[in-house]
Amino acid sequence: VQLQASGGGLVQPGGSLRLSCAASGSIFSINTMGWYRQAPGKQRELVATITSGRTNYADSVKGRFTISRDNAKNMVYLQMNSLKPDDTAVYYCNADVRPSGRMSYVAIWGQGTQVTVSS
């Protein structure tokens, strides 16, 4: 099972980006999916999570970012609007996945995608 993130890039302050993350492999089910980010010299921090339609956001992104998922495609998205330079970071997707043939969930991380907000 693996996660593949995409959609990062360079954007000006006030701009928008949409990140996507696809889970692939032998998957029985996925529980929570989410996005985290890590800026240079800082610890990785939660951005947003989604579980059975319930969403959770870091205070710093509330009202600007929207997380959503497509369960049929095993995908999670992060729509980022009104981007600020402080949003510059590597963004990682995460999912709690129950692989086929297993009874427990495991946390899977994507490879990260760079988001740079700069004029």
Side-chain angles (χ1 to χ4, degrees):
V1 177
Q2 62 180 358
L3 298 178
Q4 181 71 41
S6 61
L10 173 64
V11 63
Q12 292 185 342
S16 298
L17 280 176
R18 187 187 193 219
L19 305 183
S20 301
C21 179
S24 61
S26 297
I27 297 170
F28 180 81
S29 65
I30 301 177
N31 191 11
T32 300
M33 301 186 82
W35 291 93
Y36 293 72
R37 67 186 181 186
Q38 187 167 18
K42 295 186 178 180
Q43 291 187 333
R44 190 173 298 187
E45 62 177 3
L46 179 147
V47 176
T49 61
I50 183 167
T51 307
S52 298
R54 299 188 308 274
T55 58
N56 177 54
Y57 295 93
D59 288 343
S60 59
V61 306
K62 283 181 180 177
R64 300 188 298 122
F65 291 10
T66 302
I67 188 171
S68 61
R69 63 191 282 179
D70 184 333
N71 292 325
K73 296 180 178 180
N74 288 334
M75 293 194 69
V76 63
Y77 307 95
L78 186 68
Q79 178 65 44
M80 304 184 294
N81 298 328
S82 302
L83 283 161
K84 305 174 182 179
D86 284 349
D87 295 318
T88 296
V90 177
Y91 284 69
Y92 298 89
C93 57
N94 169 271
D96 292 331
V97 177
R98 180 181 168 185
S100 298
R102 294 185 62 173
M103 297 301 293
S104 60
Y105 285 84
V106 293
I108 306 294
W109 289 92
Q111 86 286 7
T113 184
Q114 176 71 46
V115 172
T116 302
V117 185
S118 175
S119 55

